[in-house]
Amino acid sequence: SSGELLDECMAYMGASDSIMLLDTAVNLLARPDLARWFPAVAPVYCHAADLLAQGFGQSASYPGIEPVDDLGWITLVCQHDHCLSWK
């Protein structure tokens, strides 16, 4: 599940890392146990288009998670030396 993958990902996170929730991973925002992961060690972002696609509307439903558009996503990737995907 996405929750188990997020647990695994966060175990390796450092203060200079970021999390970007993409595609169906934004559905984590609907979980009643979301607070167990956040606030996170590092910033958390979600793809605004994926929020819309999954029926969340224009904004994330949890404080501390920042929606970003396509340009914001590219900017985040460029700010980090490495990009890992957890599927």
Side-chain angles (χ1 to χ4, degrees):
S1 78
S2 293
E4 292 166 350
L5 292 173
L6 187 56
D7 285 335
E8 185 178 338
C9 176
M10 291 184 109
Y12 294 99
M13 290 200 56
S16 63
D17 295 326
S18 298
I19 293 177
M20 177 75 167
L21 301 176
L22 297 169
D23 196 32
T24 58
V26 300
N27 289 323
L28 285 168
L29 301 177
R31 290 181 60 138
D33 62 344
L34 183 65
R36 81 178 203 175
W37 292 293
F38 305 107
V41 172
V44 180
Y45 303 91
C46 61
H47 193 216
D50 293 333
L51 287 174
L52 290 172
Q54 297 299 320
F56 284 94
Q58 292 290 334
S59 63
S61 62
Y62 195 82
I65 300 174
E66 182 181 344
V68 296
D69 60 13
D70 290 339
L71 183 57
W73 180 11
I74 292 167
T75 301
L76 285 170
V77 170
C78 291
Q79 290 173 351
H80 293 80
D81 292 335
H82 305 284
C83 181
L84 301 173
S85 295
W86 295 80
K87 296 182 179 185

